[in-house]
Amino acid sequence: MGTVTMSNPNVLDHLNNPSPRTLGRSPLEWLERLQKPTVVHVAGCDRSRTRAMATLLHGNEPSGLFALHRWLQEQHTPEVNMLFLLGGVYPAKIPPAFSFRQLPEGLDLNRCFKEPFQSEEGAIAEAMLAELHKAQPECLLDVHNTSGTGPAFAVTITNDAEHQALTSLYTDRLITTDLRLGALMEYSEQEVPTVTIECGGAQDDQAHHLAYEGLVRYTSRADVLSLEKAEWDVAVLRNPIRVELAPEATIEYRLEPSGQADLTFPPDIEHRNFGIVSPDEPLGWVGKKGLSILTAISHNRTGNLEQVLRVRGGQIYPAQAIKAFMITTNPVIAKSDCLFYAVKATGEPIF
Ligand SMILES: [Zn+2]
């Protein structure tokens, strides 16, 4: 972040130790009052240290903001100074609130944490990085929601004791990836241990609750970077592959295939999330095109799908014991993003 100190000072608003009155009675009221991406500073018991948390980088992922609103309303004094960065205020404010990931004509803010910072979102990203550089926090969390429902997990680009300890404040699953997208965690990692927290679905009360509980742990502990103090043992999943569906392929979620679709998954396939699926457990059904409608991609190349899945009697089975996650039952996401991610049952990459 060394070069990122000349950002425009008018890009962000600042709130210092906000009182309950300035926050509104609900997160929605607070959002109405926010005019720009906002930095919230809260003084801690130990004023020599700071921890940072970014959230709402995606305007339709409100758990972190809900948690922060509640936590600020309760007027806690954190163990150390806290720096909160609320990124996607503009998309979040578009009615109905918290429904737009990014502005309709805008860019995904969490892909803009890289040079040359030229777009409007790039300017926000650059200003956020400048705030982090100025505050020199000991660590940074970036709190998100997933698009479907499903359990919480963390994502990092580094796997060491500090990252596992931070992860354990929220969840016992850590995905590490060599994929680079221009996300906040990639840029900030150069200066400070950074963990992205996916709290679970944007509509899940459980996700909102976890975001709050995690925030209380993050702000109230003297030490959040030692593994001895960790809340849970963390299972690490390295470099998952993405299994993608061909754009022209059709998918159905049914208990039995209708014969019309190229791929059929049972409606409760989401229950497979993070569980181990053995080679004798069927995942779903393929149509006449077989597995040709699917592609398996690692962070840097297309791999051999036969290492992941195979077909017996029209049914799809894992080719080896796998752990799959972010399985979606939303056909739009299945087609536009990916069907699921997977690693070996051991947590190691499939390829
Ligand atoms: Zn997100």
Side-chain angles (χ1 to χ4, degrees), residues 31-74:
L31 179 66
E32 281 166 17
R33 294 177 186 193
L34 296 175
Q35 296 306 317
K36 289 179 184 181
T38 299
V39 188
V40 183
H41 308 261
V42 179
C45 298
D46 178 353
R47 307 254 170 134
S48 71
R49 293 153 62 200
T50 299
R51 290 174 199 152
M53 185 184 105
T55 196
L56 203 68
L57 293 195
H58 295 136
N60 60 348
E61 299 177 9
S63 283
L65 180 94
F66 290 174
L68 178 59
H69 181 264
R70 176 174 166 194
W71 184 85
L72 289 170
Q73 280 285 9
E74 292 169 348

Side-chain angles (χ1 to χ4, degrees), residues 178-179 239-244 295-305 307-308 349-351:
D178 294 330
L179 184 68
N239 274 333
I241 54 140
R242 297 162 57 89
V243 175
E244 297 186 354
T295 325
I297 299 166
S298 76
H299 61 283
N300 55 8
R301 65 188 175 92
T302 300
N304 183 357
L305 187 70
Q307 286 176 261
V308 190
I350 295 176
F351 48 74

Side-chain angles (χ1 to χ4, degrees), residues 57-58 61 101 110 144-145 198:
L57 293 195
H58 295 136
E61 299 177 9
R101 180 182 176 91
N110 207 24
H144 289 251
N145 290 104
E198 297 281 356

Side-chain angles (χ1 to χ4, degrees), residues 165-209:
L166 288 169
T167 295
S168 82
L169 297 168
Y170 288 78
T171 171
D172 57 358
R173 299 180 191 93
L174 172 60
I175 294 157
T176 66
T177 175
D178 294 330
L179 184 68
R180 297 292 178 267
L181 299 166
L184 170 59
M185 66 171 171
E186 297 157 26
Y187 212 102
S188 60
E189 187 66 45
Q190 298 168 30
E191 290 200 355
V192 53
T194 303
V195 176
T196 299
I197 304 288
E198 297 281 356
C199 291
Q203 321 293 339
D204 290 355
D205 282 341
Q206 224 181 327
H208 308 330
H209 190 72

